[in-house]
Amino acid sequence: MKTTNYTELRNGLKSYLDGVANDSEPLLVHRSGNASVVIISLDEYNTIKETEYIMKSSAMMDVIRKGKKEIAAGGGKAVNIDELWK
């Protein structure tokens, strides 16, 4: 995770925000005398919110746990991920 302080962020705002958006790497901003903050891309935020939504659903978590047990028991089959998009 990249880090900066408030002054450097202000002086290079476009560059820092482009880095967060293009590299999907969070940016930790230290603020003297105040709590630090993390800047993340919209894609990263949406991923976090989707994960949170899935984890709040007991039905979805049951499906995930069942699938994990099946795989651990040798079930399932290998899939070429590129073929899923054809």
Side-chain angles (χ1 to χ4, degrees):
M1 178 182 312
K2 292 182 180 177
T3 63
T4 190
N5 61 44
Y6 178 77
T7 301
E8 289 175 8
L9 175 64
R10 186 180 57 230
N11 292 336
L13 185 61
K14 181 183 182 331
S15 175
Y16 279 110
L17 295 182
D18 286 347
V20 169
N22 297 334
D23 302 335
S24 296
E25 184 175 0
L27 175 66
L28 175 61
V29 182
H30 297 285
R31 302 183 313 147
S32 181
N34 294 291
S36 296
V37 297
V38 175
I39 299 173
I40 59 173
S41 70
L42 180 59
D43 286 342
E44 184 69 20
Y45 174 80
N46 288 337
T47 298
I48 291 168
K49 295 308 283 183
E50 181 178 4
T51 301
E52 181 182 77
Y53 175 79
I54 290 168
M55 292 182 76
K56 284 183 179 180
S57 168
S58 59
M60 182 60 77
M61 290 306 297
D62 288 343
V63 169
I64 292 170
R65 287 184 193 102
K66 180 181 175 192
K68 188 174 178 180
K69 286 179 185 176
E70 288 177 10
I71 291 170
K77 68 176 187 172
V79 176
N80 181 342
I81 196 162
D82 293 330
E83 292 182 14
L84 294 175
W85 308 116
K86 291 182 181 181

